[in-house]
Amino acid sequence: MLDKTFNPQEAESRLYELWEESGAFRAGDPERVEAGAKPYCIVIPPPNVTGSLHMGHALNNTLQDVLIRFERMRGKDVLWQPGLDHAGIATQMIVERQLEAEGNVRRREMGREAFIERIWKWKGESGGTIIGQLRRLGASCDWSRERFTLDDGLSKAVLKVFVELYREGLIYRDKRLVNWDPKLQTAVSDLEVENIEVKGHFWHFRYPLADGVTYEWPLFDEDGNPAGTETRNYIVVATTRPETMLGDTGVAVNPEDERYKPLIGKFVELPLVGRRVPIVADEHADPEQGSGAVKITPAHDFNDFEVGKRQGLEQINILNPDGTINNDVPEAYRGMDRFEARKRVVADIEALGLLDRIEDKTVMVPHDEKSKLVVIEPYLTDQWYVDAATLAKPAIAAVERGETVFVPKNWEKTYFEWMRNIQPWCISRQLWWGHRIPAWYGQRLNYDDELPVFVGYDENDVRAQAFDYYKKLLPDLKSVEFGEQHVPMDMARDVVTLWRDPDVLDTWFSSGLWPFSTLGWPDKTPELARYYQTDVLVTAFDIIFFWVARMMMMGLHFMEEVPFHTVYIHALVRDEKGQKMSKTKGNVVDPLKLIDEYGADALRFTLAAMAAQGRDIKLATSRVEGYRNFGTKLWNAARFCEMNECVRVEGFDPAAVKETVNKWIAGEAERTSAEIAEAIEGYRFNDAANAAYRFVWNVFCDWYLEFIKPLLLGENEEAKAETRATAAWALDRILLMLHPFMPFVTEELWQRTGEKGPAREGLLVKAPWPVHIGLGDAAAHAEMDWVIRFISEVRSVRAEMNVPAGAKIALLIKGASAANVARLERHRDLIQRLARLATVDIASEAPHGAVQLVLDEATLILPLAGVIDLDAETARLRKELGKLADEVKKIDAKLGNAKFLAGAPDHVVDEQRERKADAEAAIAKFADALKRLEGAA
């Protein structure tokens, strides 16, 4: 006997353990493979080893699991490849903080080898918490194949890719601007930078013109009319970071700006520094912005860096790695913190009489994404780069040819914009945790020579390269000094002085190889041959460039095939008001707490049901609670079936049923399973979930179970037996259709209902998806649809007219066809019971005080005079309509107010629009009801 309720806290861990022990999640099932099952593969976006399940993970992995469970049930050889990312910065920060809290030596005092060993220890003890949390969500990954971006196999792949790309000239070392974290003292990616709006200033400085040059500056009156000119011997520039002026090497003006044309090619004397700085013509300068002249600091601004390259300007870095001012500036500023230097520069400029004005301004300041406390600096430094522009070309062409498609399709535009404007990819990080760059440096033979670099698979490889390098440069050298000995050249390979690059690779470098490295590449494994290319990547829009594009580039370059045929981009999960979740706002919803309270099935179904393509999810706890109630509805339906002895029958054929209601439910079940399958195939998860919901709640529970009660209680044993078998069959179909979305409750019911009747062939997780066999019966569908619409129309009118729920009223029907009169006779008892009708009679006229409604060709007549006060009800409806009209008027005033639209947060504007739509829908409903009442008077 089923328990009164489903207990997810008890069942979920038990069922998950059952699935794992049965091997249900493992790819390569010999029976399936031998039977010719097609492979289906998804690689999980590897969460950080430091991570904990957040709502974005919950959505992303729910959608992947829906696909995986669905395709597994359709008989495919499914591999959901799991794994973790080593998360270079985040992991190193955690362990450094631990060392600090313990009062131990710091990283640099500890030494590289000992520190890395400490991180591995941390990973073994605390890393990978999120894997257990994904299991709680129900993720059916093949955990036996779990990978880690720093495991031996992936490290082998990373090494091969780096060496090969270097030898092809696609990896190189260069001095460019990077995002620099002065606290961690490493380059960081754009994804690790968050631009935060802060109240700041625009400082306007006067740069004196060199060599006695002057020019005429146009003046204007208060109305903007020309008011003559004034002679100036300076040019005004503005900056939000005054300290960077110490590194200025140019001033740019627009070549079409008439005010400055006479100054192009002239110089300014850089205040505080005394450097002669050229005035150059460049389109970067906007005549409409500020004075139209722009200070150029190529070493500390990304736009200025490009201007500097175009104009041949010197690059002067004024910062040390820790963000203090270095020695390439006047002595007064050396060693100062950058923000202290800012104050000092402004004070010194003002003391020289060169501070034109200070303008208060809200500015976007880049901060580190983790703590949001460290200001990130554009910083000129030597780093390793990938020639992304070359690798991007095949990746662009592949999407143009349709080899990989984006869903929704509009994301292709974003992909193309990024890829066609791609910059060199900085892949080096000044960390210790990660894939160490396989590059070694040798000694210069001359001071002006570049440092020789040798890249190889190991030290023996690079020593051989170094030996050949020096031998070519010094062909006559017979021996080299090593300590106090002279070593002959033919033995010198092992004593050449080399030192390894201390940097590690960007985490995204190893992640870019994920679809093929996890399958065993560079070895030619059976898994690589079978599961690559993978089928679909499910991911968020914010990493299309950082991850999707790089997997496309790497996959095409090394596998000569795109890594996946589809990229499904899901939306963001926001709070119930539509605001982005953030810890600072205090509106973060913890998926684990929701699972604790409502169960994993409720959360999964909520996320799937709301995952409309291109639309963010506004997550309210009430929605999760509502879908928990949906699970309860299913459980109660199963209990109803159990109590009425609805047990599966060996050899039951739904195509052979005779009762109209059973023909109808069989057809509806088959139609719904096809609708769900089509929606999942099209990545319309919300449509699939909502189709399942409608069938379970509305069709099966609300209608079918009510319709069959007389049959189950009747004396026709043949009809009773058929109905019991059909109900059990339909419940099975529900469990199959719902399983991808709500795996736990469906598996539990599959096991429990399988205790009676023929033995189950196995677990639901591997049961076959319903097959289409043509169960639809048009006549049965039309008849039961007519009965449902009849009852629904009457119920609707009763509710609109405030007819007491317990009141049984009479109904007259006029103008019905002979076929519908026959339907009425066949289902009279059902209609009267479910619509709360005392009688249903045929009539030719409508009595006074009767409300009328149309059902196809017939008119349904409800004599309500005496049941309700028609005049009072009419007055009530008119009053409600008046209130609603006033509400719409107020909302229209708000939405028509430009100030409101400009100043109100998006979620507030959306809320007003939703309120208006709800009010207008209510107006239409009440207007129809009023029209009916007025017709009854």
Side-chain angles (χ1 to χ4, degrees), residues 828-840:
R828 177 184 293 274
D829 291 344
L830 266 184
I831 290 170
Q832 288 186 200
R833 176 169 62 89
L834 297 177
R836 306 288 292 168
L837 299 174
T839 57
V840 180

Side-chain angles (χ1 to χ4, degrees), residues 663-685:
K663 290 179 181 179
W664 167 73
I665 197 64
E668 286 296 298
E670 185 172 81
R671 183 190 62 77
T672 302
S673 66
E675 183 182 353
I676 292 169
E678 182 185 2
I680 294 176
E681 288 169 352
Y683 306 100
R684 293 181 288 105
F685 298 97

Side-chain angles (χ1 to χ4, degrees), residues 597-617:
E597 188 166 357
Y598 301 108
D601 288 330
L603 175 60
R604 287 170 60 108
F605 200 89
T606 302
L607 294 170
M610 299 180 75
Q613 289 182 11
R615 191 186 311 156
D616 286 349
I617 292 172

Side-chain angles (χ1 to χ4, degrees), residues 288-502:
E288 303 299 320
Q289 293 291 323
S291 69
V294 182
K295 62 185 284 298
I296 303 298
T297 319
H300 292 287
D301 181 275
F302 288 100
N303 290 321
D304 291 5
F305 180 77
E306 297 301 327
V307 174
K309 283 203 300 183
R310 288 195 295 270
Q311 302 295 337
L313 301 177
E314 187 181 0
Q315 300 169 344
I316 300 176
N317 177 22
I318 66 163
L319 293 178
N320 293 310
D322 64 355
T324 57
I325 306 299
N326 66 20
N327 290 339
D328 291 329
V329 300
E331 190 172 351
Y333 308 100
R334 294 174 188 172
M336 294 182 75
D337 175 80
R338 53 190 162 147
F339 299 112
E340 289 301 314
R342 177 175 300 179
K343 296 174 186 174
R344 178 71 179 271
V345 164
V346 172
D348 290 350
I349 287 282
E350 186 173 19
L352 292 172
L354 299 177
L355 180 61
D356 190 79
R357 61 193 170 96
I358 300 174
E359 177 185 354
D360 292 336
K361 191 174 180 68
T362 299
V363 293
M364 301 299 291
V365 178
H367 287 72
D368 73 298
E369 181 266 338
K370 290 286 186 293
S371 74
K372 299 175 181 55
L373 298 174
V374 180
V375 174
I376 300 300
E377 288 287 345
Y379 186 70
L380 187 67
T381 178
D382 291 304
Q383 301 285 344
W384 288 91
Y385 290 89
V386 170
D387 179 359
T390 298
L391 291 176
K393 289 173 184 175
I396 292 168
V399 176
E400 289 174 334
R401 289 192 300 265
E403 293 172 21
T404 294
V405 298
F406 281 76
V407 180
K409 192 172 179 61
N410 61 287
W411 287 111
E412 286 182 9
K413 181 181 178 184
T414 302
Y415 173 83
F416 286 137
E417 285 176 354
W418 278 337
M419 295 292 269
R420 287 168 181 156
N421 296 285
I422 200 165
Q423 295 294 310
W425 172 17
C426 177
I427 57 171
S428 47
R429 298 291 180 266
Q430 289 63 56
L431 303 169
W432 286 356
W433 175 244
H435 295 279
R436 193 165 178 182
I437 290 172
W440 282 256
Y441 301 96
Q443 292 178 317
R444 296 183 181 95
L445 295 182
N446 297 297
Y447 180 79
D448 293 333
D449 289 348
E450 286 192 10
L451 204 63
V453 182
F454 309 103
V455 170
Y457 290 101
D458 54 31
E459 193 168 341
N460 285 333
D461 183 2
V462 297
R463 283 197 173 280
Q465 295 177 44
F467 179 72
D468 291 342
Y469 170 81
Y470 289 117
K471 195 172 181 182
K472 285 177 185 176
L473 289 178
L474 302 166
D476 299 327
L477 193 65
K478 303 300 181 186
S479 64
V480 295
E481 287 187 21
F482 183 66
E484 297 180 358
Q485 301 178 23
H486 284 269
V487 179
M489 279 300 289
D490 59 354
M491 298 174 61
R493 195 182 91 162
D494 295 333
V495 299
V496 172
T497 301
L498 298 174
W499 59 96
R500 190 169 181 178
D501 194 310

Side-chain angles (χ1 to χ4, degrees), residues 97-135:
R97 281 201 296 265
Q98 275 189 357
L99 291 173
E100 191 175 339
E102 293 167 4
N104 290 329
V105 294
R106 295 181 182 274
R107 167 171 65 101
R108 297 190 186 280
E109 297 164 338
M110 193 175 196
R112 186 173 192 135
E113 191 173 327
F115 180 71
I116 291 173
E117 189 177 318
R118 175 63 185 259
I119 296 180
W120 279 109
K121 182 183 176 187
W122 171 87
K123 179 189 178 291
E125 294 171 352
S126 307
T129 299
I130 195 169
I131 295 296
Q133 295 168 340
L134 287 172
R135 283 180 158 94

